[in-house]
Amino acid sequence: MTTPVNDDAVGRLLDLEDIKRAIGLYVIAVDTREMSLFDQVFTPDARIILGGVGDMTPASYKEMAVKGLAALDATQHHLGLPVINLDGDHAHARCYFLAQHVRNDLKPNPFLLIGGWYTDDLIRTEAGWRITKRIGTAVWYDGNSEVLGMGNFPMGATPRDDGSLPPPWLMG
C-alpha cells in the first residue's frame, strides 16, 4: 500500500527529519565539546534529567559538561534510530545510546561504556524542533567507573524501575 504524497505528508516528513536533527546534534555537541550546539537542541527552559547526574537546565548542563569533558581524552556517543510520536506542534521520542568515555591516564583500563536510552519531549519553535525535556536512562555500565569519577560504582545492569517501561505515548 502506498501513502499518497501531499503537503501534509511532506510536512510530516520534514518535521520528523528536524526532530532527528535535534536529537543527533546533542551527541555531536558532546563529542566535539561544542556546547553552543545545545542552543539548536534544547529550549532555554528545558529540563535535562540524567541518571546519576540529576535534574539540570541547558545552562547548568553546559557548565557541568565543560568541566566533566575536560577530564576525558575522548567520548563517542552512538544513537539508534529514534521512535517518534508527532502530535501537531509537540512530539515525543525515544532512542537508544551507547556512550564510550576514555581517560588515557587510567591505562590499562581507560574505558567506561554506558548503554541506555533517551526519552524526549519536543516542541516546534520558530527556529525548528527543540527538546523541552530529556530523560537519560542508563541501563548498564561496563569498564572502569573511575573514568567518570564514580568511585567504586558497580558495573553491569542497573536495577529495573519505572524508567525501564515503554513510554505511555508508545502504548497508544
Side-chain angles (χ1 to χ4, degrees):
M1 181 170 132
T2 342
T3 304
V5 176
N6 58 40
D7 288 345
D8 289 341
V10 171
R12 180 176 172 78
L13 289 172
L14 292 173
D15 284 337
L16 292 172
E17 288 303 311
D18 197 32
I19 290 167
K20 287 188 253 182
R21 182 179 190 279
I23 292 169
L25 271 176
Y26 170 80
V27 297
I28 293 172
V30 171
D31 289 340
T32 64
R33 301 172 184 185
E34 186 54 62
M35 298 299 123
S36 66
L37 290 173
F38 276 0
D39 297 339
Q40 298 176 49
V41 175
F42 298 106
T43 60
D45 61 345
R47 290 183 62 204
I48 305 164
I49 305 162
L50 302 178
V53 178
D55 194 333
M56 298 167 282
T57 65
S60 64
Y61 184 60
K62 280 182 194 180
E63 184 179 319
M64 189 266 318
V66 166
K67 290 177 187 171
L69 290 169
L72 301 173
D73 292 296
T75 58
Q76 189 173 28
H77 293 70
H78 295 270
L79 297 178
L81 294 172
V83 174
I84 301 168
N85 179 21
L86 189 56
D87 184 17
D89 290 337
H90 298 272
H92 305 283
R94 178 172 281 184
C95 69
Y96 287 79
F97 70 81
L98 290 174
Q100 181 70 270
H101 306 80
V102 184
R103 267 186 54 195
N104 289 334
D105 66 321
L106 295 174
K107 286 179 182 176
N109 192 9
F111 302 107
L112 176 65
L113 183 62
I114 304 171
W117 53 73
Y118 297 120
T119 304
D120 298 323
D121 295 334
L122 300 100
I123 191 167
R124 183 195 320 267
T125 72
E126 288 183 16
W129 284 90
R130 300 292 186 265
I131 297 171
T132 60
K133 182 179 178 184
R134 162 161 281 182
I135 300 174
T137 303
V139 179
W140 56 264
Y141 297 84
D142 184 37
N144 184 351
S145 61
E146 285 301 322
V147 171
L148 291 181
M150 298 166 70
N152 195 15
F153 189 86
M155 294 296 102
T158 59
R160 294 187 67 81
D161 60 16
D162 289 347
S164 301
L165 300 172
W169 53 265
L170 190 59
M171 300 308 293

